Amino acid sequence: MLQGTIDKTPALRLYQTFRLPSRGVLIAALCMLLAVTVTAAWAHARFATPNLGNTHHPQHSELQANWSKGSVIVVLRHAERCDRSRGACLGDPTGITVAGSRVAADVGRGLQRLGLGKADVWASPEVRTQQTAHAMFGKTITTQGWLKQCDGQFAETAFAHKRNGHNLVLVSHSGCMEQLERTLDVPGSARSNGYASALFITQGSDGKEKLLGQMAASEWSKLVDAMEL
């Protein structure tokens, strides 16, 4: 009798150690997981950069209003780099690919539809940015050395070079776009710096930089179609 009791004791202790959580504990854990998921989703939506390729987004009409007033700066990343692709080079191996030049031309058509009558266009002096700008606008674009100096003063420098009543179109680099997004407190998860992508900013009523949104290279056709309706 005593031996039976002694034999069962380790098994009982093992059961008590590894027994499943109670129903209440499981429900509490599930509720906590749901709360974390909802909070993460809210944070992503709260800080996501507005996609201006979506013509129904409220920021899209704000872009058009600010653009008509000549109060927008758009920073464009160069097209696909030749030295980081297996595609055929447009020419110089430090420049862009042939495919990238076609994408840049599509972006240029979108900018033309948006309107360049009141716009100053500059490019970084690097070969890849000069080739991108030429593909976008069909001509050689004036270069500015500061457009390849992607430091923490990029936004301030851009606004210092902007003329009143004229939009400013800058063909630059991913590093400069990233610095601009940091200035605007855009979290890393919400940044989009694909080849030939665009970031639109303006100056808010408080005099500070204000983010209008971003647009991937593939979405310019939607903007063109919407403006032709």
Side-chain angles (χ1 to χ4, degrees):
M1 188 72 176
L2 180 59
Q3 182 63 38
T5 303
I6 293 174
D7 290 342
K8 291 179 182 179
T9 299
L12 180 59
R13 289 176 179 173
L14 185 64
Y15 167 77
Q16 290 173 336
T17 302
F18 294 99
R19 62 185 176 182
L20 294 173
S22 66
R23 183 178 180 183
V25 172
L26 285 173
I27 292 174
L30 288 173
C31 288
M32 184 176 294
L33 179 61
L34 178 61
V36 170
T37 302
V38 170
T39 300
W42 175 86
H44 178 76
R46 171 68 177 79
F47 294 106
T49 305
N51 176 19
L52 298 177
N54 177 7
T55 56
H56 300 292
H57 197 289
Q59 290 290 89
H60 180 78
S61 58
E62 186 174 355
L63 166 63
Q64 291 184 314
N66 280 281
W67 191 269
S68 65
K69 292 187 295 184
S71 60
V72 176
I73 294 177
V74 53
V75 182
L76 297 147
R77 186 187 178 189
H78 58 78
E80 182 182 50
R81 290 177 59 151
C82 186
D83 59 357
R84 296 183 182 177
S85 171
R86 295 182 179 180
C89 296
L90 187 61
D92 192 314
T94 64
I96 62 175
T97 63
V98 173
S101 70
R102 296 186 186 122
V103 172
D106 289 339
V107 173
R109 281 188 283 273
L111 285 164
Q112 290 284 352
R113 290 296 302 168
L114 196 56
L116 294 173
K118 295 191 298 182
D120 296 320
V121 183
W122 293 337
S124 159
E126 296 290 346
V127 173
R128 57 186 178 274
T129 41
Q130 289 186 60
Q131 287 185 343
T132 299
H134 192 282
M136 286 179 176
F137 306 106
K139 60 182 180 180
T140 300
I141 298 300
T142 302
T143 61
Q144 293 281 327
W146 62 271
L147 284 172
K148 67 174 184 178
Q149 296 171 359
C150 305
D151 55 29
Q153 304 302 311
F154 185 83
E156 182 179 339
T157 304
F159 275 105
H161 284 80
K162 183 185 175 302
R163 291 195 293 164
N164 289 334
H166 284 72
N167 298 307
L168 184 57
V169 181
L170 305 173
V171 183
S172 190
H173 305 269
S174 60
C176 292
M177 294 179 74
E178 184 177 354
Q179 286 290 350
L180 183 55
E181 288 171 318
R182 287 179 178 177
T183 300
L184 295 164
D185 295 324
V186 177
S189 60
R191 297 171 190 169
S192 177
N193 293 329
Y195 285 125
S197 60
L199 194 66
F200 297 83
I201 63 172
T202 188
Q203 203 162 36
S205 56
D206 58 358
K208 296 182 179 180
E209 301 87 355
K210 177 183 177 182
L211 176 65
L212 290 172
Q214 59 85 24
M215 192 181 303
S218 60
E219 295 178 323
W220 280 95
S221 59
K222 298 178 185 178
L223 177 64
V224 173
D225 293 342
M227 296 184 73
E228 288 180 345
L229 293 177

